[in-house]
């Protein structure tokens, strides 16, 4: 049934809790080397989704209570987690795509799970095999998610459909 | 590494270097609280065309400017390297590339001139800056509010910080910047929102006050930002939706934006006021003294928020102390001062001290 795994996958997110549930569901299928590009306007829920995802991954003692602040000003935050460290980028303030090298993007892509907010700023530097996740506004606080990606993403995302 | 420790701490003179985020900065400060020189690259005349708008996040950019800036800070202070008692640099938290440039520069000077090296936590620089401007004693309650931080700390002494609460999502400065962006008010967002708010009605929009009345001392501003977006969209003033800010007569949109900015600022003020009132009560219980309440960080420059905090402090029988705006934004004078304080206690760092991109303030130890 090829249609069962066809992308893009569109999911309604009626409230913040649904956005966080999607983050936790993604955490369960991510592997070292994965890149998730988080698209969406200010306030669409990108950081909320990233926070839920990071909190759902097992880490060292105290990791569950560790704060996951917005990385808008720090540009990148790194979290020690299993199965790989999570690099959480926010490129909102980046002017020149080359600046991301200063932020450790190549280290992130080599060893970690990489979450990138405002991936538009990367231009052609965004890896082709990245999972693209777009959050958009619906009515009265609702959001919708649209997930797309090449490679084995169609198979891996199939279980999110349930 | 001799000499410094035998001097009274008022006579110590320290060079400070700050490269942990957007700014390249160098300053020389004395133990008597005299700022001998204080240079921030984006505020120098030749950089004015850019107005500090473009973040200098690249390590290369810090590297291009730091030597000249340090030389000018020394010349401005009228001192030679031999006359310094120590070299301090921000060693974290921050962007590793930038921090590395500042730390390497400081270590090189320390090594060449056989001076003590002082690795300063950027947040400790903010936390102690009030003792440079106002010479207040420990302990005090600190509200640190900037673009990247929003936390309440009990400052018990040099290297002794107890975290009482912090933001669980966005920092307040970030909420100001994003509100400015949503309303098309320009950059930097803090002053832009404050200016628009001065012409607006703070009761015009009913915005949420996340965490208000909840136990604990944490903050949350993400929901407020989203509420501003929703209100702006509904009122037809969302930037980028065909509405241009400041385009003259636009059918009352300027007034709507001013009202929304004022309502946002009022909500932020309510949140800060409630949390600080609770923190002051806790502080008095734990330390037997009602403050003072110190506010530091870039958001401390906002006059409306400052007035709210002044009245909160007065109600609690405390007082508000705020360093001048130049010491509240990122600068090197506060790093040099933290260096003076640490050097005075003999808290010198080895030359193999590694820069720390993540470095929570409460993990510092004052040592002996």
């Amino acid at each position: 049934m090829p249609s069962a795994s066809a992308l893009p996958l569109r999911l309604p997110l009626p409230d913040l809790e649904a956005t966080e549930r999607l983050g936790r569901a993604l955490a369960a299928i991510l592997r070292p080397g994965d890149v998730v590009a988080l698209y969406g306007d200010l306030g669409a829920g990108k950081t909320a989704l990233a926070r839920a995802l990071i909190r759902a991954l097992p880490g060292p003692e105290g990791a569950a209570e560790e704060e996951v602040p917005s990385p808008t000003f720090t540009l990148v935050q790194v979290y020690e987690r299993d199965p790989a460290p999570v690099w959480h980028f926010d490129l909102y303030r980046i002017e020149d795509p080359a600046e991301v090298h200063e932020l450790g993007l190549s280290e992130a892509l080599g060893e970690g799970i990489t979450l990138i907010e405002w991936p538009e700023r990367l231009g052609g530097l965004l890896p082709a095999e990245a999972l693209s996740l777009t959050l958009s506004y619906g009515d009265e606080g609702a959001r919708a998610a649209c997930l797309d990606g090449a490679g084995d993403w169609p198979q891996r995302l199939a279980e999110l459909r349930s | 590494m001799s000499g410094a420790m035998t001097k009274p701490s008022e006579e110590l003179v320290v060079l400070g270097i700050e490269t942990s985020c957007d700014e390249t900065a160098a300053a020389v400060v004395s133990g008597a609280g005299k700022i001998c020189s204080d240079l921030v690259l984006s505020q120098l005349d030749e950089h004015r065309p850019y107005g500090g708008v473009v973040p200098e996040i690249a390590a290369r950019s810090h590297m291009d400017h730091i030597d000249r800036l340090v030389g000018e800070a020394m010349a401005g202070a009228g001192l030679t390297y031999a006359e310094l008692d120590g070299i301090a640099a921000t060693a974290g938290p921050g962007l590793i590339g930038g921090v590395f440039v500042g730390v390497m520069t400081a270590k090189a000077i320390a090594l060449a001139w056989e001076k003590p090296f002082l690795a300063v936590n950027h947040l400790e620089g903010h936390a102690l800056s009030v003792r440079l401007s106002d010479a207040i004693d420990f302990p005090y309650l600190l509200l640190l509010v900037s673009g990247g931080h929003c936390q309440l700390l009990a400052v018990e002494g040099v290297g002794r910080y107890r975290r009482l609460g912090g933001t669980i999502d966005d920092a307040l400065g970030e909420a100001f910047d994003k509100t400015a962006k949503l309303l098309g008010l320009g950059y930097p967002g803090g002053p832009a929102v404050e200016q628009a708010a001065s012409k607006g009605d703070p009761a015009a929009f009913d915005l949420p006050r996340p965490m208000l009345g909840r136990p604990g001392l944490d903050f949350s501003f993400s929901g407020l930002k989203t509420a501003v977006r929703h209100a702006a969209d509904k009122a037809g003033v969302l930037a980028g939706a065909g509405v241009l800010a400041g385009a003259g007569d636009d059918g009352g949109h300027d007034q709507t934006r001013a009202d929304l900015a004022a309502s946002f600022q009022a909500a932020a003020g309510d949140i800060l006021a409630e949390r600080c009132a609770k923190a002051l009560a806790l502080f008095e219980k734990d330390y037997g003294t009602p403050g003072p309440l110190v506010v530091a960080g870039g958001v401390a420059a906002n006059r409306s928020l400052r007035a709210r905090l002044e009245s909160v402090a007065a109600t609690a029988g405390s007082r508000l102390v705020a360093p001048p705006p130049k010491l509240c934004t990122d600068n090197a004078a506060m790093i040099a001062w933290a260096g003076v304080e640490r050097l005075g206690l003999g808290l010198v760092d080895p030359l193999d001290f590694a820069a720390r991109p993540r470095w929570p303030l409460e993990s510092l130890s004052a040592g002996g």
Side-chain angles (χ1 to χ4, degrees), chain B residues 332-366:
Chain B
M334 68 179 190
I335 302 304
W337 174 256
V340 165
E341 296 246 41
R342 296 186 73 81
L343 183 60
L345 295 171
L347 300 170
V348 172
D349 294 289
L351 285 176
D352 62 356
F353 187 97
R356 297 178 187 176
R358 300 194 81 184
W359 191 6
L361 200 45
E362 49 301 7
S363 71
L364 287 184
S365 135

Side-chain angles (χ1 to χ4, degrees), chain B residues 56-73:
Chain B
E56 298 281 1
I57 63 160
R60 193 184 50 252
S61 160
H62 289 299
M63 206 150 29
D64 286 346
H65 299 291
I66 191 64
D67 285 348
R68 178 173 66 93
L69 213 59
V70 165
E72 285 181 21

Side-chain angles (χ1 to χ4, degrees), chain A residues 41-43 51 66-70 72-79 90 92-95 99 102-103 137 140 143, chain B residues 21-22 54-55 57-60 95 97 147-148 163 167-170 174 177-178 181-182 225-226 229-230 234 358:
Chain A
D41 284 343
L42 280 179
R51 184 175 295 121
E66 187 180 9
E67 281 179 29
V68 181
S70 160
T72 297
F73 267 75
T74 55
L75 302 164
V76 58
Q77 304 268 9
V78 187
Y79 300 90
D90 184 330
Y92 183 71
R93 301 194 305 141
I94 291 275
E95 302 267 329
E99 288 176 331
E102 305 281 351
L103 305 180
Y137 279 89
E140 295 298 320
R143 307 284 191 274
Chain B
C21 198
D22 297 358
V54 179
I57 63 160
R60 193 184 50 252
L95 287 174
R163 193 171 186 285
T167 182
I168 59 166
D169 42 54
D170 298 356
E174 176 179 351
D177 270 344
K178 289 187 172 167
K181 183 101 179 169
L182 290 167
K225 167 191 73 187
T226 305
R229 188 199 185 278
H230 190 64
K234 244 178 162 171
R358 300 194 81 184

Side-chain angles (χ1 to χ4, degrees), chain B residues 74-304:
Chain B
M74 292 301 293
L79 292 172
T80 64
Y81 289 111
E83 292 171 284
L84 292 173
D85 296 297
I87 321 293
T90 301
L95 287 174
I96 190 69
V99 171
F100 200 69
V101 170
V103 166
M104 287 309 292
T105 304
K107 284 178 177 175
I109 299 170
L111 187 65
W113 295 90
E114 297 189 341
K115 301 291 182 184
F117 165 67
L118 303 140
V120 171
N121 180 302
H122 178 83
L123 301 174
E124 177 166 52
H126 279 300
L128 297 176
S129 63
V130 68
R131 285 168 50 81
L132 170 58
S133 60
D134 294 81
I136 67 168
D137 291 327
F138 300 116
Y140 50 87
L141 176 64
L142 175 73
L143 171 67
L144 178 56
V145 272
S146 65
H149 301 281
C150 184
Q151 46 186 280
L152 276 162
L153 295 155
V155 181
E156 300 173 346
V158 176
R160 286 165 50 210
Y161 309 94
R162 189 176 141 222
R163 193 171 186 285
L164 304 177
T167 182
I168 59 166
D169 42 54
D170 298 356
L172 182 53
E174 176 179 351
F176 266 89
D177 270 344
K178 289 187 172 167
T179 292
K181 183 101 179 169
L182 290 167
L183 299 178
L185 296 174
Y187 189 99
V193 170
E194 183 177 11
Q195 204 202 346
S198 68
K199 297 173 213 128
D201 171 10
F205 289 88
D206 186 20
L207 298 175
R209 272 88 170 137
M211 311 296 282
L212 212 68
R214 296 252 206 106
L217 291 169
D218 285 337
F219 300 89
S220 165
F221 293 105
S222 179
L224 178 56
K225 167 191 73 187
T226 305
V228 167
R229 188 199 185 278
H230 190 64
D233 196 14
K234 244 178 162 171
V237 295
L238 190 62
V243 181
L244 200 63
D249 181 24
D250 61 355
H253 279 148
D254 276 346
Q255 188 55 47
T256 306
R257 269 188 290 271
D259 288 346
L260 193 42
S263 301
F264 162 78
Q265 191 171 267
D270 283 352
I271 296 165
L272 288 186
E274 192 252 10
R275 298 276 115 173
C276 286
K278 279 180 72 175
L280 277 167
L282 178 76
F283 188 91
E284 180 160 22
K285 185 165 79 64
D286 288 356
Y287 298 93
T289 164
L293 171 62
V294 174
V295 59
V299 180
N302 182 296
R303 279 162 299 216
S304 158

Side-chain angles (χ1 to χ4, degrees), chain A residues 114-132:
Chain A
T114 307
L115 312 179
I116 306 177
E117 298 189 40
W118 302 96
E120 299 91 330
R121 305 283 204 273
L122 272 180
L125 294 175
L126 182 68
E129 63 275 20
L131 171 67
S132 133

